[in-house]
Amino acid sequence: MNSNHFSSLFNVRYPIIQAPMAGASTPEMAAAVANAGGLGSLAAAYSTPAQIAEMVARMRQLTDRPFNVNLFAIEFPPAPDDVSAALALMAPFYQELGIGKPERPSAGPTFEEQTRVLLELDIPIFSFTFGVPSPTILQAFKAKGTKIIGTATTVAEGKILEAAGVNAIVAQGSEAGAHRGTFNHPFEQAMVSTMALVPQLVRSVSLPIIASGGIMDGKGIRAALELGAAAVQLGTAFLVCPESSIPECYKKAVLNATDDSTQITRAFSGRPARGIRNRFMLEGEAHPEVILAFPWQNNLTRPMRNAAAKANNPEMLSLWAGQAASLARPLKAADLLRTLVNEAGW
Ligand SMILES: Cc1cc2nc3c(=O)[nH]c(=O)nc-3n(C[C@H](O)[C@H](O)[C@H](O)COP(=O)(O)O)c2cc1C
């Protein structure tokens, strides 16, 4: 499956996807990418059905091009019984930010209610990570004519997604920024780099493979296509665009990062994710036994992260970024897309 096949299947000019980035990408970013010929993505994983409807409506005002909406395909584990140690870890950070005392976290919107609204909205492309939706949900999207993209971090996961009937697979290498999409292994056993994962997935499944993780420029795009990828999905490269919703201190941390600035942590969300090391990450890593499961830990740390963002304090924010963050360029999303296209030689 080559890039022409990908472009015609998803009706885009260039096989470049702006990654859905919960907490960072915006309809403005996705529409700028879509209007410049790439595939723009909306990150809806943390959004309520009403917020999702609003986001999709905004996107439709800004572009008539196809776009992708992304969710986390998981069922929440039961609420934790005893959260006292987790609250105690958070308390000094809450205090420092002047936001009172941490409270028992709630669950937030479920995948089921989120997919229900997406089905009503008739979206062109649906992508997901962290798991595989039920056959009923996948069938319902297909019946609407929605194209489906799943996320794999290993060949075995790619085969599961192929058997589930998706149209394309994001191969998320271990370099990638933010959460690992791993759903079929202990995550430590699924840290396969983009360079290793892409050609093995290409050999093992007969769907278009979208290389993701550590790709920041035209050279990276060409390398991914050379490995057999039909398209690429870039996250960190778009983080520093003006259309990104992250605070200035986060953008600065991305631009000042070096190759060894990031590590995988559960401290912020309860799920392994790659971000730039900071004070809260190191504090959480020192007490792994008190970290709650996703989404409970994520919802417990949210007030701290929101307050830190407001205060432009990078030490208590999740600074999700990939291992090639230092190659990010602070261009407008459309200019970045055009630059990538030129560098790739199209
Ligand atoms: C800040 C941030 C948030 C992300 N949020 C999501 C998300 O909501 N859904 C998703 O499927 N992937 C998400 N990702 C992962 C990307 O889809 C992609 O795998 C990753 O960005 C690729 O690596 P790179 O950052 O080196 O380009 C996120 C990445 C970043 C950097």
Side-chain angles (χ1 to χ4, degrees):
M1 297 293 162
N2 62 17
S3 54
N4 290 334
H5 178 84
F6 178 89
S7 301
S8 63
L9 183 64
F10 289 94
N11 189 20
V12 290
R13 182 139 184 228
Y14 304 111
I16 303 177
I17 306 177
Q18 160 257 315
M21 292 186 285
S25 58
T26 57
E28 286 69 24
M29 177 190 289
V33 169
N35 290 332
L39 177 55
S41 304
L42 299 175
Y46 299 138
S47 305
T48 62
Q51 289 166 331
I52 293 175
E54 205 177 304
M55 208 188 278
V56 169
R58 176 86 185 124
M59 187 69 182
R60 286 185 161 138
Q61 277 171 1
L62 296 172
T63 186
D64 55 8
R65 302 301 306 148
F67 59 90
N68 165 38
V69 187
N70 175 269
L71 292 177
F72 295 164
I74 42 161
E75 262 178 46
F76 299 150
D81 289 334
D82 181 6
V83 296
S84 53
L87 297 181
L89 179 78
M90 298 308 298
F93 293 96
Y94 269 57
Q95 195 182 10
E96 198 175 321
L97 290 161
I99 53 168
K101 285 198 158 86
E103 285 171 16
R104 169 178 274 282
S106 58
T110 64
F111 179 64
E112 202 197 322
E113 57 194 7
Q114 292 170 322
T115 48
R116 212 173 305 135
V117 67
L118 284 187
L119 284 165
E120 282 165 17
L121 291 167
D122 263 334
I123 54 166
I125 302 162
F126 167 56
S127 80
F128 59 85
T129 183
F130 294 8
V132 190
S134 68
T136 315
I137 288 178
L138 291 178
Q139 202 43 52
F141 276 111
K142 279 190 190 169
K144 295 261 179 189
T146 300
K147 297 274 185 306
I148 303 171
I149 303 177
T151 306
T153 60
T154 63
V155 168
E157 289 177 351
K159 287 183 176 168
I160 293 170
L161 291 168
E162 183 174 45
V166 304
N167 300 105
I169 296 173
V170 171
Q172 188 192 40
S174 54
E175 303 91 325
H179 288 102
R180 304 294 302 140
T182 305
F183 62 88
N184 189 50
H185 318 262
F187 103 94
E188 302 86 346
Q189 292 170 22
M191 292 296 284
V192 187
S193 70
T194 306
M195 181 76 135
L197 180 60
V198 169
Q200 295 186 81
L201 261 175
V202 168
R203 192 177 64 178
S204 308
V205 304
S206 51
L207 290 171
I209 298 300
I210 301 159
S212 189
I215 302 171
M216 304 296 289
D217 55 22
K219 280 187 236 169
I221 293 172
R222 287 207 307 272
L225 298 187
E226 191 63 33
L227 293 172
V232 291
Q233 175 162 302
L234 284 65
T236 304
F238 284 95
L239 263 183
V240 294
C241 293
E243 293 90 342
S244 152
S245 63
I246 65 173
E248 276 313 309
C249 64
Y250 183 171
K251 289 188 181 173
K252 218 166 127 189
V254 171
L255 293 168
N256 290 336
T258 51
D259 58 339
D260 58 353
S261 297
T262 69
Q263 76 182 51
I264 303 274
T265 184
R266 287 180 62 245
F268 287 100
S269 73
R271 245 191 102 90
R274 184 177 293 286
I276 297 170
R277 265 186 298 278
N278 62 3
R279 209 175 108 204
F280 184 79
M281 186 196 285
L282 295 176
E283 181 75 14
E285 286 300 308
H287 303 280
E289 70 289 350
V290 312
I291 307 293
L292 305 177
F294 186 91
W296 310 103
Q297 182 72 9
N298 201 47
N299 295 342
L300 174 64
T301 65
R302 179 169 288 119
M304 172 188 77
R305 291 182 282 116
N306 287 346
K310 243 190 220 151
N312 208 32
N313 175 349
E315 295 302 328
M316 301 179 211
L317 266 179
S318 42
L319 301 171
W320 302 142
Q323 286 180 321
S326 79
L327 302 177
R329 295 166 285 190
L331 299 170
K332 284 184 171 176
D335 290 337
L336 175 58
L337 202 279
R338 280 191 281 270
T339 304
L340 295 169
V341 165
N342 283 337
E343 290 173 347
W346 289 316

